[in-house]
Amino acid sequence: MVIAGGGFAGLALALALRQSLGPAFKVTVADPAFAANAKADPRASAIAAAARRMFEALGVWDAVAADAQPITDMVVTDSKLKDAVRPVFLTFAGEVALSGRADDLDEFRSEPFAHMIENAPLSAALAAKAREEGIELRATTVRRFDHDGRIIAAFGDGRVTSAALLVAADGANSVIREQAGIATHGWSYGQSAIVTTVAHEREHHGRAEEHFLPAGPFAILPLKGRRASLVWTETEAQAARIMALGDDEFHRELERRFGLHLGDIKVAGPRRSYPLGLFLARSFVAERIALVGDAAHVIHPIAGQGLNMGLRDVAALAEAIVDAARLGLDCGGADVLERYQRWRRFDTAAMGVATDGLNRMFSNESDALRLMRDIGLGLVDRLPALKSFFIREAAGVTGEVPKLLRGEVL
């Protein structure tokens, strides 16, 4: 197997397959980020409870648990930037059970539904575990591929490998997807997300905040220590203006939205900006090719589910491949890939529709829509069973959950 892309999804898939099928099953992961001089990713990610269970099953989580900040609760506000106060319309307790009946609310207080962790230590832990398992990590790209009964992958360093399956985990601008002729459908939102890390004077106590402002959501996500990861949505033009500001002016714009409830704040990491949109691949598979993660789908970060959807892809694809291999079947065969696609397409489309609707409902200046959504948020806040369902959905424990996301080895 060849995996193009060594992010969370690519490395997690490689580990799942190697650990389940043994050293006779050769796995190669290609990514220029494996080079010794590659820069570490400064961003942070929300790891849902089910994804954390998968990392535990792969033997990775213990290496990073001390760096992970559990989300203990979450508050949602809806206001305009000029409003003097931001009333809280919805709160969520930050714990969830990965099993149990939905009508037994006592069973929903067992563990955090998500952890925040910086990408660099988790990426390093995954790569170290992969090397320990004997997985080949190549600091190069998959430049092109051909078919010859199997798939022939040509790497950027000039080497060529024959494989049963090529997995595209190479991101939203996937070269593999493009060469396979798989179209994407979707649209840009005309928004950008400004991402940075903020240090603050007071303790956050593990609380995540989602402030819905007319330009888009402003999310404050707790990190270890008195720090938070910021995902700040603005229109593309406004984001470009803010990104071009000097440090003092940027701080003033940040403080207007962040507030002073956590005391004095300061930017504690690089600022970056990313365009936002909804894009779904027309197909998640082609002949001896499977797409996972952002290569298959890109959604709005409003629900924090993009990375976790990619890890759901990994868990489903790994289970389909392992089941086939143990039966002596071709793990890159059309029936195996179709099983994976059936498993993931509906869930992906449903999440895309949900995040698209939320973004359109909240990212606007309409007073009428604001009234309607605030009534809706208030009703949800008063229905514990519905809140528990939303938390379990965010934790990734609803629907047909693959074994790895249940914490089971394949």
Side-chain angles (χ1 to χ4, degrees), residues 97-157:
L98 297 190
S99 61
R101 303 191 313 275
D103 59 350
D104 188 347
L105 297 182
D106 289 338
E107 295 191 18
F108 287 88
R109 301 189 179 97
S110 60
E111 57 188 281
F113 75 85
H115 285 74
M116 285 298 301
I117 185 167
E118 289 166 289
N119 289 2
L122 183 53
S123 294
L126 284 164
K129 187 67 173 178
R131 292 186 179 97
E132 178 187 318
E133 297 283 353
I135 295 167
E136 183 182 17
L137 305 183
R138 291 189 183 178
T140 185
T141 60
V142 176
R143 185 166 50 87
R144 59 179 178 81
F145 62 87
D146 294 300
H147 293 92
D148 183 17
R150 289 162 61 84
I151 199 157
I152 311 301
F155 297 93
D157 59 10

Side-chain angles (χ1 to χ4, degrees), residues 127 132 179-180 186 194 197 224 268 284 306 311 327 345 347 358 366 384 386:
E132 178 187 318
Q179 290 185 9
I194 300 171
T197 300
K224 278 290 186 178
F284 285 11
L311 294 175
L327 291 172
R345 276 190 64 82
D347 176 60
L358 285 171
S366 171
L386 187 56

Side-chain angles (χ1 to χ4, degrees), residues 301-353:
I302 194 168
Q305 289 298 303
L307 168 65
N308 293 288
M309 286 177 61
L311 294 175
R312 284 193 181 198
D313 296 343
V314 165
L317 180 58
E319 190 166 331
I321 290 171
V322 169
D323 287 351
R326 287 176 176 161
L327 291 172
L329 303 176
D330 179 359
C331 67
D335 53 345
V336 176
L337 298 182
E338 187 54 35
R339 179 190 174 193
Y340 161 64
Q341 175 158 253
R342 287 196 308 268
W343 203 339
R344 292 299 302 137
R345 276 190 64 82
F346 177 78
D347 176 60
T348 300
M351 184 60 72
V353 169

Side-chain angles (χ1 to χ4, degrees), residues 231-245:
V231 183
W232 170 2
T233 305
E234 292 284 351
T235 63
E236 289 179 344
Q238 183 75 337
R241 181 191 70 81
I242 292 171
M243 287 292 294
L245 295 175

Side-chain angles (χ1 to χ4, degrees), residues 5-266:
F8 295 160
L11 287 171
L13 178 62
L15 283 169
L17 295 174
R18 189 57 177 265
Q19 291 175 358
S20 301
L21 299 176
F25 190 88
K26 184 179 179 182
V27 184
T28 298
V29 185
D31 195 315
F34 295 142
N37 61 348
K39 293 183 179 179
D41 187 344
R43 295 173 297 173
S45 297
I47 305 299
R52 191 198 74 248
R53 284 290 179 95
M54 180 171 74
F55 288 136
E56 289 174 348
L58 297 176
V60 173
W61 190 252
D62 284 349
V64 297
D67 299 315
Q69 170 63 51
I71 295 179
T72 58
D73 71 317
M74 182 173 181
V75 298
V76 178
T77 74
D78 185 14
S79 62
K80 295 183 178 180
L81 187 57
K82 64 183 179 181
D83 290 349
V85 295
R86 292 178 180 169
V88 173
F89 288 95
L90 185 58
T91 62
F92 289 105
E95 294 189 340
V96 63
L98 297 190
S99 61
R101 303 191 313 275
D103 59 350
D104 188 347
L105 297 182
D106 289 338
E107 295 191 18
F108 287 88
R109 301 189 179 97
S110 60
E111 57 188 281
F113 75 85
H115 285 74
M116 285 298 301
I117 185 167
E118 289 166 289
N119 289 2
L122 183 53
S123 294
L126 284 164
K129 187 67 173 178
R131 292 186 179 97
E132 178 187 318
E133 297 283 353
I135 295 167
E136 183 182 17
L137 305 183
R138 291 189 183 178
T140 185
T141 60
V142 176
R143 185 166 50 87
R144 59 179 178 81
F145 62 87
D146 294 300
H147 293 92
D148 183 17
R150 289 162 61 84
I151 199 157
I152 311 301
F155 297 93
D157 59 10
R159 299 170 68 185
V160 176
T161 295
S162 173
L165 181 66
L166 172 61
V167 177
D170 52 345
N173 298 315
S174 171
V175 172
I176 306 301
R177 184 191 65 222
E178 182 179 347
Q179 290 185 9
I182 300 175
T184 60
H185 302 287
W187 45 82
S188 169
Y189 288 121
Q191 296 171 311
S192 293
I194 300 171
V195 179
T196 192
T197 300
V198 174
H200 43 78
E201 181 182 11
R202 298 176 189 145
E203 297 288 348
H204 51 55
H205 301 292
R207 169 172 287 189
E209 304 176 23
E210 185 96 60
H211 300 299
F212 286 116
L213 299 170
F218 183 91
I220 302 171
L221 305 167
L223 296 173
K224 278 290 186 178
R226 295 176 180 175
R227 298 179 305 135
S229 176
L230 202 70
V231 183
W232 170 2
T233 305
E234 292 284 351
T235 63
E236 289 179 344
Q238 183 75 337
R241 181 191 70 81
I242 292 171
M243 287 292 294
L245 295 175
D247 290 345
D248 290 342
E249 292 83 359
F250 184 84
H251 182 273
R252 281 193 286 271
E253 291 284 357
L254 172 61
E255 196 173 71
R256 289 179 67 202
R257 294 157 177 83
F258 196 103
L260 295 174
H261 59 294
L262 292 178
D264 290 337
I265 61 173
K266 64 178 181 179

